[in-house]
């Protein structure tokens, strides 16, 4: 809207082929925005979340066994196992918090 106004008023003196490309890119941007919006507003399936938690619990038990076979000293095995499990659980927790924030935002009026 503003592009056409400024073109008609002579403020924007861009040739028509370049303006066509500008409108094409704006259209492509809007398409990508709506795709991202649909991904952001699609609820996360609870079954998938439960499966992720199950895999994390399995990893919690298996990681020390595998790491103990790989590491040369028990302290290293414990440290590496702790780091792996801790990082994965914290990433999961961050994802849960972000999902809760998004759900709270959607539940508010005007959300």
């Amino acid at each position: 809207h503003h592009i056409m106004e400024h073109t008609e008023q002579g403020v924007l003196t861009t040739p028509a082929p370049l303006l066509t490309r500008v409108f094409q890119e704006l259209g492509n941007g809007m398409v990508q925005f709506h795709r991202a919006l649909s991904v952001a507003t699609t609820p996360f399936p609870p079954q998938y979340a439960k499966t992720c938690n199950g895999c994390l619990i399995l990893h919690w038990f298996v990681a020390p066994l595998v790491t103990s076979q790989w590491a040369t000293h028990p302290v290293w095995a414990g440290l590496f196992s702790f780091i792996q499990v801790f990082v994965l659980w914290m990433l999961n927790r961050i994802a849960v918090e972000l999902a809760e924030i998004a759900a709270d935002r959607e539940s508010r009026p005007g959300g």
Side-chain angles (χ1 to χ4, degrees), residues 14-38:
T14 307
L18 292 178
L19 277 180
T20 303
R21 181 68 178 179
V22 167
F23 285 119
Q24 180 183 5
E25 290 300 320
L26 285 172
N28 290 341
M30 288 304 294
V31 167
Q32 295 301 326
F33 171 75
H34 286 290
R35 284 184 182 171
L37 188 62
S38 70

Side-chain angles (χ1 to χ4, degrees), residues 27-111:
N28 290 341
M30 288 304 294
V31 167
Q32 295 301 326
F33 171 75
H34 286 290
R35 284 184 182 171
L37 188 62
S38 70
V39 168
T41 56
T42 302
F44 197 71
Q47 297 83 0
Y48 188 79
K50 289 177 185 176
T51 303
C52 286
N53 285 339
C55 288
L56 281 171
I57 291 169
L58 180 66
H59 180 264
W60 190 7
F61 288 113
V62 173
L65 299 174
V66 172
T67 309
S68 68
Q69 299 301 312
W70 171 72
T72 57
H73 195 274
V75 173
W76 288 115
L79 181 66
F80 291 144
S81 294
F82 173 77
I83 290 172
Q84 286 180 42
V85 171
F86 181 78
V87 166
L88 290 176
W89 277 97
M90 288 304 103
L91 287 173
N92 183 54
R93 188 66 201 149
I94 290 169
V96 168
E97 287 291 327
L98 290 174
E100 288 175 0
I101 290 170
D104 289 345
R105 190 175 295 147
E106 288 178 8
S107 66
R108 283 191 228 142

